[in-house]
Amino acid sequence: MLKSKTFVKKTRSGSVMKIVREHYLRDDIWCGSEVCKECKQDSTVLQKDACIESTLCPFPHYLIPDTNVVLHQIDVLEDPLIQNVVILQTVLQEVRHRSAPVYKRLKDILHEKEKHFYTFTNEHHRDTFIEREPGESANDRNDRAIRVSALWYSQHLRSAPGEDQGLRVVLVTNDRGNKEKAEESGLLVYRCEEYIKSLTANPELVDRLALTNDEKNEVSSGKLLFPEHLPLSRIQAGIKSGTYLQGTFRASRDNYLEATVFVQGEGEESSEVLLQGLVHLNRAVYQDVVAVELLPREQWVAPSSVVLQDEGVKEEDEEEDEERKVRRSTPPTAAAEAERKPTGRVVGIIKRNWRPFCGMLNISQIKESTRHLFTPADRRIPRIRIETRQAATLAGQRIMVSIDGWPRNSRYPNGHFVRTLGAAGDKETETEVLLLEHDVPHQDFSKAVLSFLPKMPWSITPEDFAVREDLRHLAVCSVDPPGCTDIDDALHCRELDNGNLEVGVHIADVSHFIRPGNAMDQEAANRGTTVYLCGRRIDMVPELLSSNLCSLRSNVERLAFSCIWEMNHDAEILKSRFTKSVINSKASLMYAEAQMKIDDTNMNDDITKSLRGLNRLAKILKKKRIDKGALTLSSPEVRFHIDSETHDPIDLQTKELMETNSMVEEFMLLANISVAQKIYDEFSECALLRKHPAPPPSNYDILNKAAKSKNLEIHTDSAKALADSLDMAKVDGFPYFNTLLRILATRCMMQAVYFCSGMDSDFHHYGLASPIYTHFTSPIRRYSDIIVHRLLAVAIAADSTYPDLMDKRKQSALCNNLNYRHKMAQYAQRASVAFHTQLFFKNRGILNEEGFILFVRKNAIIVLIPKFGLEGTVFFDNKDKAVANVAVVFDEEGPSLRVRDHKFHMFDKVKVTISLDASNIQHQKIRMSLVEPVIPGVSVPASEPEPLAKKPKLDR
């Protein structure tokens, strides 16, 4: 049956166009139920014995939720208890338009066979399709469509043999009007909350109910703490007229009363607006897209240097104290005119960026209370008020909570419990929290992804040999860190008959196994990068590829993509070529092993000769690079020695870098630059490149101040000037000074990013002093390299192209995801190092170590311990100590901090005790206390523990 709708539309040019929309209705769309004999269905989804133990519905029944129930209660629907649910096409389409994340979760539930969720295509069924009536809103029409489908199901199932008294259909809705109309039609209908509360099998499910209406759950205190948010129409008009600015809200980790809004301008231009005080933050949450209004210039303030954590309310509803804190926090900090930043206030929310948050429950002091505060692990997220009846069970557990809303008269947002992750402090639990908080995809690879793996046993076919260069005879070897199984790259160097040298970089040919657009390719593109945590690796591609078929292990034949140069002995490139190849690596070496071969004069085998040739050329290449202005910066990297049985860290030391590290790095850089030029020459509009923007001059302020404190000058007008200044910056009797300065210079740098050549004009890589750069050498662990391999393969006619590869907008969108995943992987790695450092100090007790002051703050110094590559903060306003009465004077110019009679400057040598402060269960941290210089009432005796806080708590 065909329904058609005709309407006319005026085009931009002014002509009138007649549009006819055809809508096909069918009578062969089945109900999906086991009890039905009328529908001629091959397989069924909904069970005959659909029993969920319920006091309201003690009979077998199917659920039909409306759109809002699916949107707001997806956490409940995901619970294993909820089965036999009909998802109508109307609901599915509305969810798809209104929330992509919920739609994806719903699709995942529909694919789980044991959940028995069935999609019913009601919009194309002859008996359930309805047309919108004159004057009826789209929303009302959809509600009516849901009621009509629920009624059809009720009647259809009742007509099944033997089902006149048995199986029922329950419509679940929170819309009062919809519920009343459904009851008038004779439907069995309940609000979501009353239905879930009636379930006897899992009473905890009530905790997972989302609060659907902010107003309904406002706290009893009627005081309005926050201004009203403007409606979207006024916000849009204000942005258009320039009254308001749109930007991303970024809360401060160190001061819960401060945030910035990042406003993206035209092209590369961007600016930041400072917000201070809870009223001006106005219920915005980290990463929300907000509208801000700039305050008059005389009300602009400087960012606060004070570290201020939210202590939380002591009793459940002590909102008055909190309001006083709001008023105290709002007055602006007096600041020099130069330090003032554009300051504003949030007037409305354009897009919420809420996700489930990991953290712990702060159990209420009121006995029998079901209302508690949840403290997120991320300090940038405010505490969340939730209702739960299982607080005693959740104490000491890491849990996940979602925000439902934030009323104007509540100090904190309201939310609901999602799930338990495990006991706090447990290694597995903490790793799970770390991965979730940094949005690292870490679920097992799906069957769809694994279906694209090659069948084992795998071998290189004659067809492969026919289209590849056979390089198995070459003395190729790989040089990697200890324990590396995903070997991306191998090298060779040999002398040619004409006296020149042939150097080859051979990279795993991952793009041979991962073909564009299939499930494995989509998964790798989403993951973007392999994430390396301490003792754990989250692969970008399945292990069969990463540690076996793609890994360039020794003495096995492997497919490679080779970049081969002919060079003279001065490391000048005479010829370059790129080819798909077959190699057989003669040795998989660790950096230390390769170094021993190079240094051992008795060894003269082919591999050793090759390594010596590579090492000699690498030194020349490095000198040339540094002469051009490439930066040699420094960051303290640490390595843990892990106990083989307990898997706890038993030793912690900074990584030692050898000549062979540098050797491998130089040839990887050279390959990346050569490939970047090749793909850009061939595809000027869609080459995937990597750039490193030059930092704005203001970034170097701290570096300049630090150098000035030692009567040195740092020139920052170019990378070359900076590199030369850093080389010259030496202080007699202080050999570590130059390393400290380089660590500081690293902090001044911008983030390197991927971009599409057709969408940008500035290609320069500041840190490497290279006009063009890309990533080609690590396709096992970086998706960017797979794309670069595909581009290079097309450029040398070794593979065919596909539309997305040549679409610069799609390439640009892909780059955005890769940049995000790369950044989050870095943060996750740092968090993993921090957690393992805590474990190390937990087992070692208190240590005394020498360190250097990296930064001076208003009330603290930040100290670097070179031995461990560890940073920590020594506070001078700790409430628990006598220090509270000590005069602390901060001088911003220096910067310096006077504590009693002692003045602290950057790079001063200090001695500290290091211990683990476990007083805050959730935010355990490394605690540093000053030993030397000795300041009465401030410093502590060496190796004596400080008194911990009275009891473990959940401070922010």
Side-chain angles (χ1 to χ4, degrees), residues 63-78 82 85-87 91 94-95 98 102 106 109 117 143 146 170-175 178 189-196 208-210 212 416:
L63 296 177
I64 299 184
D66 74 358
T67 308
N68 282 322
V69 168
V70 173
L71 281 170
H72 298 298
Q73 309 296 350
I74 189 74
D75 289 327
V76 170
L77 295 176
E78 283 176 332
I82 306 296
V85 177
V86 179
I87 300 294
V91 171
E94 264 200 287
V95 169
R98 286 171 60 182
V102 173
L106 184 59
I109 300 173
F117 270 53
D143 283 349
I146 292 166
V170 178
L171 177 63
V172 184
T173 179
N174 285 327
D175 184 316
N178 195 19
V189 56
Y190 293 111
R191 284 188 305 108
C192 186
E193 191 178 349
E194 59 184 339
Y195 176 77
I196 296 300
R208 297 177 74 171
L209 278 170
T212 50
H416 66 275

Side-chain angles (χ1 to χ4, degrees), residues 283-402:
R283 296 170 288 154
V285 175
Y286 181 65
Q287 292 290 24
D288 283 351
V289 179
V290 299
V292 288
E293 179 181 42
L294 282 178
L295 297 174
R297 190 174 278 271
E298 61 271 15
Q299 291 181 32
W300 289 9
V301 295
S304 168
S305 308
V306 174
V307 177
L308 191 60
Q309 305 298 345
D310 180 3
E311 299 288 333
V313 286
K314 306 299 177 286
E315 293 296 331
E316 198 58 70
D317 285 308
E318 279 185 354
E319 298 293 350
E320 282 188 33
D321 291 350
E322 290 300 324
E323 203 181 342
R324 277 199 291 277
K325 192 183 274 187
V326 172
R327 285 201 295 272
R328 280 204 307 274
S329 70
T330 309
T333 326
E337 193 62 37
E339 295 294 323
R340 290 185 179 213
K341 294 267 184 346
T343 308
R345 64 188 185 97
V346 171
V347 293
I349 308 292
I350 295 165
K351 181 175 176 277
R352 287 290 193 191
N353 227 328
W354 295 342
R355 59 178 173 83
F357 299 106
C358 303
M360 291 180 76
L361 206 59
N362 214 21
I363 293 176
S364 169
Q365 305 298 312
I366 302 170
K367 273 194 172 176
E368 307 300 319
S369 173
T370 58
R371 283 175 133 207
H372 309 273
L373 274 179
F374 163 83
T375 306
D378 187 340
R379 292 183 188 275
R380 295 169 299 191
I381 307 298
R383 290 165 179 248
I384 302 163
R385 203 184 289 277
I386 70 165
E387 282 207 35
T388 176
R389 286 151 192 78
Q390 46 177 332
T393 318
L394 298 178
Q397 298 281 308
R398 290 281 203 169
I399 63 172
M400 288 187 84
V401 161
S402 279

